[in-house]
Amino acid sequence: MSINGIDDASLVRDIDINRLTFREIRRRKDVGNFQQYPYLIALASSLLWGYYGVVSTLSNLLITINAFGCVMEMIYIALFFVYSPKIQRVITSIIFLSILVGFGMLVALTQLYTTERKRDKIVGYVSAVFSFGVFSCPIGNNGESNWVVFCKRSVEYMPFLPALFQTLSATVWLTFGLLEHNYFIAVPNIDSLIIGISQMVMYLIYKDAPKTNTLEQ
């Protein structure tokens, strides 16, 4: 399977998923109902998968994609710092520093006290757990939750392309993980694939519903 193809699918997904959020925050000069937590979780996940790339045989592939992911999440977090209330900036700062400290401790402990084989497994397990958090997060990276769309009968703030690219990316990564017998990569993407497909189905069901003028989560 082409590594370039995996790179392209993942990078396009990340760009499209974040584009609308960035645009809305810049336009309103306020974070509104958007939350910082999905992007903080995604930053932690990108750091972990980048490190997994360092300790595994998939270094170039994972480091490239997750370096880009880190940049995208940092841009959102920076916007949140600029346009959010003071209390939210404090909370974000605490979580952000905790992520960096926790990641640094993981790197130090696995480098100092584990063998290469165990290091690969430990980092893989932790990365997979954070991937479930990223893919399952109902707000932010994945737009509106299916439940919110169902209740509102509207997909005004859940565009189709992010769900499509998530589904394509999950399909490619799932296939790649199975071919490489790397279940740290394959298993979380089953969750991502299910969510992506469900969002596309919800979009097709409610795409013709009337739109509102209010910015909802």
Side-chain angles (χ1 to χ4, degrees):
M1 178 168 293
S2 169
I3 288 179
N4 288 334
I6 298 175
D7 274 334
D8 292 343
S10 298
L11 296 182
V12 170
R13 177 200 63 181
D14 288 342
I15 291 171
D16 209 77
I17 283 174
N18 289 288
R19 176 177 56 85
L20 294 177
T21 303
F22 295 160
R23 186 178 65 188
E24 276 299 323
I25 292 176
R26 288 199 307 271
R27 181 180 66 83
R28 294 165 56 92
K29 299 190 183 304
D30 189 290
V31 295
N33 291 326
F34 289 111
Q35 296 290 320
Q36 74 273 42
Y37 305 114
Y39 293 87
L40 289 164
I41 295 172
L43 174 63
S45 180
S46 292
L47 288 170
L48 288 167
W49 279 112
Y51 181 47
Y52 180 70
V54 172
V55 301
S56 73
T57 58
L58 304 173
S59 56
N60 291 334
L61 175 62
L62 289 176
I63 291 173
T64 300
I65 292 172
N66 287 286
F68 180 82
C70 285
V71 171
M72 295 297 293
E73 311 314 331
M74 289 292 289
I75 291 173
Y76 176 81
I77 294 169
L79 285 174
F80 196 90
F81 267 92
V82 173
Y83 296 119
S84 64
K86 182 177 180 180
I87 183 62
Q88 290 297 325
R89 290 199 296 269
V90 172
I91 294 172
T92 303
S93 298
I94 293 172
I95 298 175
F96 178 73
L97 292 175
S98 298
I99 289 171
L100 295 184
V101 171
F103 176 70
M105 290 178 62
L106 176 68
V107 172
L109 291 173
T110 53
Q111 289 293 328
L112 292 174
Y113 299 110
T114 63
T115 63
E116 184 176 344
R117 183 177 181 82
K118 288 184 178 180
R119 189 179 305 136
D120 182 290
K121 289 185 177 181
I122 291 172
V123 179
Y125 278 122
V126 177
S127 300
V129 168
F130 271 84
S131 287
F132 278 110
V134 173
F135 296 144
S136 299
C137 191
I139 298 169
N141 288 357
N142 295 326
E144 288 188 334
S145 67
N146 289 351
W147 174 249
V148 173
V149 171
F150 176 77
C151 291
K152 291 171 55 182
R153 303 294 196 273
S154 172
V155 293
E156 182 176 0
Y157 294 103
M158 190 183 79
F160 181 77
L161 285 180
L164 173 62
F165 286 123
Q166 174 168 331
T167 302
L168 293 175
S169 177
T171 301
V172 174
W173 275 110
L174 174 59
T175 304
F176 178 78
L178 292 174
L179 291 175
E180 293 289 324
H181 303 288
N182 189 317
Y183 300 107
F184 298 131
I185 292 176
V187 173
N189 280 285
I190 296 174
D191 182 43
S192 179
L193 180 61
I194 292 171
I195 292 172
I197 292 174
S198 68
Q199 287 187 331
M200 288 195 297
V201 171
M202 294 293 283
Y203 183 91
L204 293 174
I205 292 173
Y206 296 115
K207 65 183 177 68
D208 295 323
K211 295 185 177 181
T212 65
N213 293 321
T214 58
L215 177 64
E216 298 292 339
Q217 180 93 347

